[in-house]
Amino acid sequence: LFFKQKTAYEIPKRDWSSDVCSSDLTLADVTFEILHRIADAFARHDVDGIVNSFAEDGEFRNAKGPHHYGESYKGKQAIRTYFEPLFANAGDVKWTHTSEFICGNRAVTEWHRTATLRNGELQSWLGCDLYTFRDGLIVMKDTYIKVPG
């Protein structure tokens, strides 16, 4: 198993290199191009682009929520109901990716999230997304965060 950590300081925005594990030498369910396309949809606050990155049966698990796994949104419509209000409430929210990993149908992105809420609250935290893909679409996006406090 081999993968190389990449940081935002080491690679240009559009480096499509394939520093991935050996299981990715065959047709892959996920590529760096797919990860970057998803990141670009988040950067544009493009809810349609985000939602369409998920499989019909895809699931997004937000880090915060009433359960030990946070809050789960299953299916495209449920996922949409999370992201539309997020962008409406924090128009300047952004994720700056710091590293990416791919192995087989799994991927990890690490990032720094910043936002200013409508009430003026500033948010800044580190986090990561653990992805599972099928046929180039997200079947699971599980988010973890470190919130100062």
Side-chain angles (χ1 to χ4, degrees):
L1 177 68
F2 170 77
F3 52 89
K4 177 183 174 188
Q5 180 174 356
K6 293 183 172 191
T7 68
Y9 306 105
E10 295 173 342
I11 60 173
K13 183 169 177 12
R14 290 293 180 205
D15 175 11
W16 306 116
S17 67
S18 58
D19 292 337
V20 295
C21 71
S22 60
S23 66
D24 285 327
L25 297 177
T26 60
L27 186 60
D29 286 315
V30 60
T31 63
F32 286 109
E33 183 176 2
I34 291 169
L35 286 180
H36 294 166
R37 188 175 63 236
I38 294 166
D40 289 347
F42 274 91
R44 292 188 314 271
H45 299 182
D46 177 1
V47 175
D48 288 334
I50 293 167
V51 169
N52 289 329
S53 297
F54 283 83
E56 290 297 327
D57 60 343
E59 180 177 357
F60 165 59
R61 287 188 184 164
N62 189 30
K64 294 181 177 183
H67 309 287
H68 68 278
Y69 53 81
E71 183 72 29
S72 178
Y73 300 85
K74 294 181 181 177
K76 289 185 175 190
Q77 185 55 40
I79 293 165
R80 178 180 298 282
T81 66
Y82 175 80
F83 287 106
E84 284 178 340
L86 171 73
F87 294 128
N89 191 39
D92 68 345
V93 64
K94 81 176 190 180
W95 294 263
T96 304
H97 282 222
T98 56
S99 27
E100 305 165 317
F101 309 88
I102 293 175
C103 188
N105 69 335
R106 306 291 308 271
V108 176
T109 58
E110 297 176 338
W111 37 262
H112 177 206
R113 179 191 183 271
T114 57
T116 307
L117 302 183
R118 280 187 174 165
N119 65 8
E121 176 188 348
L122 299 177
Q123 295 181 331
S124 177
W125 59 63
L126 298 177
C128 67
D129 290 314
L130 308 181
Y131 289 96
T132 304
F133 285 84
R134 182 181 63 235
D135 298 327
L137 297 172
I138 303 165
V139 292
M140 172 64 75
K141 178 182 187 288
D142 200 355
T143 298
Y144 294 81
I145 59 174
K146 285 187 174 183
V147 179

